[in-house]
């Protein structure tokens, strides 16, 4: 399990987290700031200059998840993570990646009055960085008060357990967090909406194309890599109908016809995934008007795009890309047979 302590810069997250590991048995302190620091030595300066914050680097967000999973595999127990996340899409990506690895997250938000927050920022000193480094850190914290307020007014507190730290010491804050985790008041952050499988599953994916014959891919919050619209077939449900249902639920498009089966594949179990049958259907072509009506549920998908087969190779995990190649070849063969038989192709 992870206890993720969010809040404004200088809200006292790190101090509270260090106190908290003494209150939660078998807990380990994990600071993703270290990953950002390491990337300064790993990435070319040209790449670093392209972003204003290491959180904007996809590699940072991936490594935060992968490192957390590796740490838990090594030490077990609970990870206590003090880290500000003010962009909802980054929170969704990181928490979704953890959920995909079956790692529950308790999301705790430390909040305090702005006047007190500004006082704490003004008093902030870091001897290791010297006067200039401390001043830069203070300025950074001041600049992020407004983004914090914007996030707080829109999404930040929606699934977090909020603790007002205006009158609390770090030790007192840690006690509040520990009590909330122990009693369940700080419940799991429900990023993944689908139930955890208990055995092999049957999943239906639907290929949709634009007027330039490019393929539609979506970017799930709950697992790494891009994907085709679709999902798990429910008990007693026809796979093609499941594909139609998932397309409507995921992107708001209602298919006029039942899609045609292109590929049946078996995905072997690779713990923690159970594997199972994977079916790919041809959902046909979306005109520009239909594509313009495409919408995404923020809790499950964070993006979509139409791509060529070559572009898909850089976005899809290897097994999904192989499935796509088989499906596209099957679709091409079907189109040739239809032409030979005089069947209109649309």
């Amino acid at each position: 399990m992870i206890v993720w302590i969010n809040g404004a810069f200088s809200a006292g997250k790190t101090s509270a987290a260090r106190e908290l590991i003494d209150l939660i048995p078998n807990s380990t302190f994990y600071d993703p700031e270290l990953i950002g620091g390491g990337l300064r030595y790993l990435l070319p300066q040209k790449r670093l200059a392209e972003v204003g914050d290491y959180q904007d680097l996809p590699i940072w967000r991936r490594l935060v998840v992968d490192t957390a999973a590796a740490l838990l595999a090594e030490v077990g127990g609970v990870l206590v993570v003090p880290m500000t996340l003010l962009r909802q899409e980054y929170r969704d990506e990181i928490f979704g990646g953890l959920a995909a690895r079956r790692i529950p997250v308790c999301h705790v938000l430390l909040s305090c009055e702005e006047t007190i927050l500004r006082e704490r920022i003004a008093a902030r000193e870091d001897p290791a960085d010297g006067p200039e480094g401390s001043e830069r850190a203070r300025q950074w914290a001041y600049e992020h008060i407004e983004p914090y307020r914007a996030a707080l007014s829109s999404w930040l507190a929606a699934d977090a357990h909020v603790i007002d730290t205006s009158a609390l010491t770090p030790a007192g804050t840690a006690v509040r967090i520990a009590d909330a985790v122990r009693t369940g008041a700080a419940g799991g952050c429900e990023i993944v909406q689908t139930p955890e499988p208990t055995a092999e599953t049957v999943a239906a994916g639907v290929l949709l194309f634009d007027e330039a014959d490019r393929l539609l891919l979506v970017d799930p919050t709950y697992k790494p890599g891009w994907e085709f619209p679709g999902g798990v077939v429910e008990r007693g449900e026809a796979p093609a109908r499941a594909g139609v249902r998932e397309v409507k639920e995921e992107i708001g498009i209602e298919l006029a016809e039942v899609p045609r089966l292109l590929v049946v594949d078996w995905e072997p179990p690779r713990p923690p995934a159970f594997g199972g049958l994977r079916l790919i259907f041809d959902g046909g072509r979306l005109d520009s008007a239909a594509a313009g009506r495409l919408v995404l549920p923020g809790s499950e998908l964070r993006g979509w795009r139409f791509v060529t087969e070559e572009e898909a190779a850089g976005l899809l995990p290897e097994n999904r890309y192989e499935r796509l190649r088989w499906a596209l070849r099957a679709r091409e063969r079907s189109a040739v047979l239809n032409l030979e038989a005089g069947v209109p192709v649309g």
Side-chain angles (χ1 to χ4, degrees):
M1 183 180 78
I2 288 178
V3 178
W4 193 288
I5 305 176
N6 205 343
F9 293 97
S10 296
K13 302 180 300 298
T14 301
S15 299
R18 294 193 183 281
E19 298 279 352
L20 185 60
I21 59 174
D22 293 328
L23 302 178
I24 297 179
N26 192 24
S27 60
T28 302
F29 181 89
Y30 166 41
D31 188 356
E33 288 272 5
L34 296 174
I35 296 174
L39 289 175
R40 290 200 294 267
Y41 300 97
L42 295 172
L43 291 177
Q45 288 301 312
K46 178 181 178 181
R47 178 69 181 109
L48 292 171
E50 293 173 353
V51 300
D53 186 337
Y54 57 74
Q55 291 195 9
D56 296 331
L57 293 165
I59 188 175
W60 180 83
R61 304 191 296 274
R62 287 195 297 269
L63 286 175
V64 167
V65 174
D66 292 343
T67 304
L71 266 174
L72 283 172
E74 185 74 23
V75 302
V78 176
L79 293 187
V80 176
V81 183
M83 174 53 58
T84 299
L85 291 175
L86 300 183
R87 294 185 60 167
Q88 186 174 11
E89 63 269 30
Y90 292 174
R91 188 286 308 264
D92 290 348
E93 180 178 351
I94 292 171
F95 285 18
L98 293 168
R101 291 161 175 79
R102 309 302 172 197
I103 301 172
V105 178
C106 290
H107 187 197
V108 177
L109 175 64
L110 303 188
S111 177
C112 67
E113 297 175 7
E114 186 172 332
T115 54
I116 295 175
L117 179 62
R118 289 184 176 275
E119 289 172 2
R120 291 176 180 176
I121 293 173
R124 177 172 176 166
E125 294 287 347
D126 189 346
D129 289 341
E132 290 187 6
S134 294
E135 180 56 35
R136 285 195 299 270
R138 284 192 292 269
Q139 187 59 36
W140 175 271
Y142 283 130
E143 291 172 355
H144 284 77
I145 289 178
E146 186 54 40
Y148 164 73
R149 290 174 58 187
L152 188 62
S153 65
S154 56
W155 65 271
L156 186 55
D159 58 19
H161 178 76
V162 182
I163 296 176
D164 187 342
T165 66
S166 299
L168 295 176
T169 63
T173 300
V175 169
R176 293 282 188 90
I177 298 172
D179 287 344
V181 173
R182 177 178 53 80
T183 62
C189 183
E190 296 293 339
I191 297 297
V192 178
Q193 305 298 314
T194 53
E196 180 178 348
T198 57
E200 292 88 348
T201 56
V202 178
V206 180
L207 303 187
L208 296 165
F209 301 86
D210 68 2
E211 294 171 328
D213 218 30
R214 295 178 304 171
L215 169 75
L216 176 66
L217 294 182
V218 294
D219 188 11
T221 62
Y222 53 87
K223 60 182 174 182
W226 288 66
E227 181 61 286
F228 326 114
V232 174
V233 179
E234 296 179 355
R235 182 182 294 273
E237 186 178 31
R241 293 291 180 184
V244 172
R245 171 181 55 78
E246 288 284 350
V247 166
K248 183 176 181 181
E249 291 177 0
E250 288 190 348
I251 59 176
I253 299 295
E254 190 163 0
L255 299 179
E257 298 179 0
V258 176
R260 181 170 52 89
L261 181 63
L262 294 172
V263 168
V264 178
D265 186 28
W266 168 256
E267 189 169 287
R270 292 189 178 92
F274 286 92
L277 283 176
R278 303 293 180 257
L279 286 72
I280 303 296
F281 294 87
D282 184 358
R285 187 171 285 108
L286 300 177
D287 60 27
S288 56
R293 294 194 298 271
L294 195 150
V295 294
L296 296 178
S299 60
E300 293 188 29
L301 302 174
R302 59 176 160 260
W304 63 272
R305 66 175 70 170
F306 285 103
V307 299
T308 64
E309 181 179 349
E310 182 180 0
E311 291 168 334
L315 295 172
L316 293 171
E318 184 177 355
N319 61 339
R320 291 177 214 157
Y321 178 62
E322 283 301 307
R323 223 170 278 146
L324 171 65
R325 291 180 63 244
W326 299 334
L328 292 178
R329 301 297 86 79
R331 188 170 183 262
E332 290 168 0
R333 288 194 297 271
S334 178
V336 170
L337 291 174
N338 285 339
L339 283 173
E340 291 175 350
V343 178
V345 179

